[in-house]
Amino acid sequence: MPINPESYRALALQVTSHAVNQTSDASGGLRLRHEARSLIQNSINRLAQQIAASIAFIGFDCRLIVLPEYFLTGFPMGDTLAGWAEKACIEMAGAEYEALGKIAQKHKIFLAGNAYEVDPNFPGLYFQTCFILDPSGSIVLRYRRLNSLFAPTPHDVWDKYLDCYGLEGVFPVAKTEIGNLAALASEEILYPEVARCLAMRGAEIFVHSTSEVYNKNLTPKDAAKITRAVENMAYVVSANTAGIANIAIPIASADGGSKIIDHRGIVLAETDAGESMAAFAEIDLGALRRDRRRPGLNNLLSRQRFELYAESYLQSHFYPANTILEGEVDRKHFLQTQQATIERLAKLGII
């Protein structure tokens, strides 16, 4: 029976991130890099089995699977930028993407995730990248996280990044057979402007790879997930980690609460802690598109008056751009830049 592209199932697959931090120190080394790559490959092999079993259980109309934030490596703790790039970051056309692409191709799915990635245009740096692979195994979307406290972002090399990729490369939307897909990285769910810029370009489904504290009480991030869905009339498919192993912090510090929210803000599916495929639900694109085209009070997207706000944004300067465009920096740079921003805004009477 043919699958209806406007009605299919999505899965926020909650899996453990097996960190590579302890395979190396700041000095790096080929042997230690090899150990990290071995751990990454083991994670991909595990995922291949988990994805196959999940689809067999959920049904073959499962067309979209979202994986957690940095599911292959964990996050850097004490590593230099160069050290983490050498140890944990994958290449834009690397073997890891090829292996994940084969999983997408085998199961005829769109596979979304998040990884640390190096870019030959920016030697010595890396970006936290959200990606989407299509059923052919090709990357159809590459979004670099724009707001991060301790990692480089396109905004930190803004002028050069725009020269390389343009504004559409900063806010990419993949127009696919299962809808217009866009990505949000982790805490960026708290930044309404990111989702809004993607919605302006037609985003219908936000894939949200995250690794966050889960609480049965409403957290700021969970409140934001509902808000981003409602204000943009879009689905949010949010996959959290099932803990982070092989790292100094307690494993369950970021564990649980993966969920799918529809364009009305209704939580369709949610899972508790631990590895789980329970957060799956139907994506009804037909209903979303009908609501987006229906006049009335609830059609918030069509009622936006962006010109009202444009001048205020143009006149405001908070965290500065281009702070690592010239020369290598260490992690202290990010906190120092934030502290300087706070002091400047305080002197202006803004905060």
Side-chain angles (χ1 to χ4, degrees), residues 12-13 66-69 208-211 237-241 258-259:
L13 184 57
V66 181
L67 301 171
E69 183 182 20
H208 179 231
S209 296
T210 188
S211 184
V237 183
S238 178
N240 195 18
T241 47
S258 297
K259 57 178 59 65

Side-chain angles (χ1 to χ4, degrees), residues 235-256:
Y235 279 86
V236 174
V237 183
S238 178
N240 195 18
T241 47
I244 306 174
N246 306 327
I247 201 169
I249 63 171
I251 186 171
S253 297
D255 183 358

